[in-house]
Every structure is written in C-alpha cells, then in structure tokens.
Amino acid sequence: MAMAAPEPQPEPGRCAHFVLRKKRFCRMIPAPGRRFCGEHGHEEEQNDRKRIPCPLDPKHTVYEDQLQKHLKKCNSREKPKPVYFVQDINAGLKDVSEIPEKQVPLSSLSIEELQNLITRLKKASNGLELHLKEQILSHQALQEALSDPKNGESAFKHLKQQASILGNMERLHLLGPGRCFVEFGAGRGKLSHWVDIALENVESVQFLLVERATTRFKVDGKHKRRDSIFERLQVDIQHLCLNKVPILEKKKLPVVGIGKHLCGAATGMNYRCVNCRKSGCTVRTHSEYIDLPNCPFKLFLPSKPFLVNTVIIF
C-alpha cells in the first residue's frame, strides 16, 4: 500500500499561513514564540485579540485594539502635499462637461451599436491629419540584454519596447548631457535605467521618476554613476507641476519626458505636464487598451497646442 505524501510544512522561522493563490507558505517572519506573522496573526489564539481590515487600505489588517496607533503611522495615510502638487493642473479644460449618461463597457454593446459608434468616430475624425509613422528602432545599450537567453518571452517583449524608445530618442537627438529626464508612470524605473546606461559617458544628467503608487523592487539603487542623480516624485501626473519641482527650479535644466505603457488619459496629462517646460517628449502608449469608462473625456483634450517635436511610439 502506497504511503500518503507528507503534508507541506513552512520553512523554519517563517509564517505558517499557506497562501493558496501562490501555492506556498507565507515567507514573513513571525514574532518570537509565534507561528504566524503579524498579517496572519488572526489564525493564532492571542488572548482573543481581533484583527480587522485597515480603514485606509483594506489590503492589510491591524489589531483592533491598536487601530488608532496604526492610523498615525500607516503608509496609506494622507501625507502633506509636496510643493510641486497643484490640484488638477494637468486635468484638461475646466469647461468640458462630462457626459451624464450611464457609461457601459464596449463588450456589452451589440454589433449594430458598435457599427454605429465606429461610423460616428470616423465622421468625427474626418479631415484630421492622422499620418502616424511606425518607426521601430533599437539601441546598442540593450543589445546584451536582448541577446541574453535567460530573459523569457515577457522580459524580451519589454526590452524590445525599451530599445525602440531609446532608438527613437537617439534619432531625435534627445539623448544628451545637461538634461533632466522625467519618466512618467515610472513603476520600477526600468526605462530610466536603460537611458542612464545609454548615457554612460555623459555628464550632468538628472532623472525624475514620477509614480503615484509605492513601488517594490525598484532599480534605482543600481545607478552608481556620480554624474547622474535619481529622484522619485510620488504624485499623480494629474497634479504634477514640473515648474515647482525644486531641482528644476534650481538647475533650470531642459526636460525630456519619457514613458511606457501609459493609458490614454495619462498620456494626455503627460503632454500637458511637459508642455509647460517646452521640452521633448517620447511616450509609448499602452497598446492593449484605453480604459474609456474610467477616464473622463476632458483628460484626452489638450488645453493648448502639443509640442512640435513629439513622437508617439506604439
């Protein structure tokens, strides 16, 4: 008779909570004498102490009897606004009225409704000059990574996109010394990372990484050049005034806006944000979808003419 397989056990000194979604045990370290970490402590009897979702961010929990203490130090609490925060400065025209009708996803429309929508869009765009030129390039800074077999399909896709952005920036002479590169929707900061590598022998380079969310596994620490400075701005693009960023006020550097995988509304706000600096802008828009139901129409509209030397990379 075959013996039953032994039940999986947590790693020594690690939390005993099994994460079903990841099919492994939690890797957090519990307090001495405990089997579960603070996040999963409700699974362990602790004198009837109860854990509840944090009212500021229900993604994590807190002991009910320590709620007030937690709210004072929770990372999701409202923090003082930085000097470069200007409410809705890039939000578009103030006199654009929102459509009061109930918005529905495109997938719920019938074929007839979709055909009618396409006809209306074609009529609205009739006469506009929409001559978009596809220009897929590459850059030598990424050649080693592109040829590395250890990179999987997903990583290779992103590397090709980043290489094309750098290639187009080089074609437009946007890669150079004495500039500030502002990455919008920076996430981990990979695009700025490759721009920094491409500018290996260039002096006086500043990077501003704009991201509204707290990001894990940032690559900022990998930049060890003394002449390149990296600074993160945790703010929504909608409220970012570049003219009030201290480093730009002090150094008066020309700005080159870069971005990858921005949605349609964020791209519009990106243009307005860099427009006030009269600088170059290289953006790769998100080619998978534009979240129309959740993006107010005014966010797509320019409040003044776009930059002449703007390139959109799809």
Side-chain angles (χ1 to χ4, degrees):
M1 182 176 179
M3 296 181 61
E7 293 186 3
Q9 297 293 325
E11 298 177 23
R14 302 291 176 172
C15 178
H17 172 80
F18 189 77
V19 186
L20 289 175
R21 181 173 60 87
K22 298 182 178 180
K23 298 180 180 180
R24 62 166 175 79
F25 285 94
C26 171
R27 291 172 179 162
M28 297 293 287
I29 301 175
R34 301 295 181 184
R35 295 182 59 241
F36 297 90
C37 67
E39 186 62 27
H40 303 115
H42 59 278
E43 300 182 25
E44 187 172 16
E45 291 291 336
Q46 291 192 16
N47 300 324
D48 296 326
R49 295 182 72 190
K50 181 181 178 183
R51 291 188 73 88
I52 60 174
C54 173
L56 300 178
D57 181 7
K59 292 180 181 179
H60 66 274
T61 60
V62 59
Y63 285 117
E64 189 174 29
D65 57 5
Q66 292 185 342
L67 177 60
Q68 295 305 317
K69 180 180 179 181
H70 171 79
L71 292 177
K72 296 178 181 179
K73 61 181 181 180
C74 178
N75 289 332
S76 298
R77 72 188 185 279
E78 186 175 356
K79 301 176 180 65
K81 299 292 189 295
V83 293
Y84 46 78
F85 181 97
V86 178
Q87 185 74 34
D88 294 330
I89 187 172
N90 302 313
L93 300 174
K94 297 293 188 293
D95 57 348
V96 177
S97 59
E98 297 295 335
I99 300 174
E101 300 177 4
K102 183 179 178 180
Q103 296 177 330
V104 296
L106 292 177
S107 58
S108 67
L109 300 180
S110 65
I111 295 178
E112 183 180 354
E113 290 173 319
L114 283 173
Q115 289 175 338
N116 182 43
L117 176 60
I118 292 172
T119 301
R120 292 168 62 187
L121 287 173
K122 287 182 177 179
K123 183 178 179 180
S125 61
N126 187 31
L128 297 177
E129 293 190 17
L130 302 175
H131 305 298
L132 299 178
K133 182 181 179 181
E134 184 179 67
Q135 190 104 31
I136 301 176
L137 303 177
S138 189
H139 196 279
Q140 60 182 5
L142 289 94
Q143 292 311 305
E144 183 178 349
L146 286 168
S147 58
D148 189 347
K150 294 181 181 179
N151 289 318
E153 182 179 346
S154 176
F156 185 69
K157 178 189 72 173
H158 290 290
L159 287 169
K160 286 198 301 183
Q161 293 169 352
Q162 291 157 346
S164 183
I165 290 177
L166 264 67
N168 278 279
M169 292 176 68
E170 188 171 55
R171 180 178 65 87
L172 295 170
H173 308 292
L174 294 176
L175 295 175
R179 301 179 185 186
C180 179
F181 295 90
V182 182
E183 182 178 356
F184 294 91
R188 296 175 58 199
K190 292 289 286 187
L191 184 55
S192 292
H193 167 75
W194 290 115
V195 172
D196 184 52
I197 290 178
L199 298 173
E200 184 177 5
N201 298 318
V202 175
E203 298 179 351
S204 302
V205 179
Q206 168 84 35
F207 290 90
L208 294 177
L209 282 66
V210 181
E211 177 58 59
R212 64 182 179 183
T214 303
T215 307
R216 299 175 65 191
F217 309 118
K218 297 184 286 287
V219 299
D220 308 21
K222 295 183 179 180
H223 310 289
K224 299 179 180 178
R225 292 177 49 219
R226 295 181 179 178
D227 292 329
S228 80
I229 303 172
F230 281 76
E231 180 179 345
R232 279 190 172 263
L233 306 180
Q234 188 173 344
V235 62
D236 195 305
I237 303 172
Q238 182 172 336
H239 313 301
L240 172 60
C241 178
L242 285 179
N243 287 331
K244 293 190 176 183
V245 175
I247 191 69
L248 294 179
E249 279 189 312
K250 179 180 179 181
K251 294 189 175 182
K252 305 296 182 182
L253 294 173
V255 170
V256 178
I258 59 178
K260 180 175 177 290
H261 281 199
L262 293 175
C263 72
T267 302
M269 292 186 288
N270 180 1
Y271 286 140
R272 297 188 193 95
C273 188
V274 297
N275 221 0
C276 67
R277 302 286 303 188
K278 302 185 183 301
S279 310
C281 177
T282 304
V283 180
R284 184 190 186 277
T285 61
H286 197 303
S287 56
E288 296 176 17
Y289 70 91
I290 294 178
D291 195 6
L292 289 174
N294 295 320
C295 293
F297 180 64
K298 68 177 184 178
L299 297 181
F300 292 92
L301 302 178
S303 56
K304 49 187 174 180
F306 284 165
L307 304 170
V308 175
N309 57 340
T310 297
V311 56
I312 304 179
I313 309 172
F314 290 91

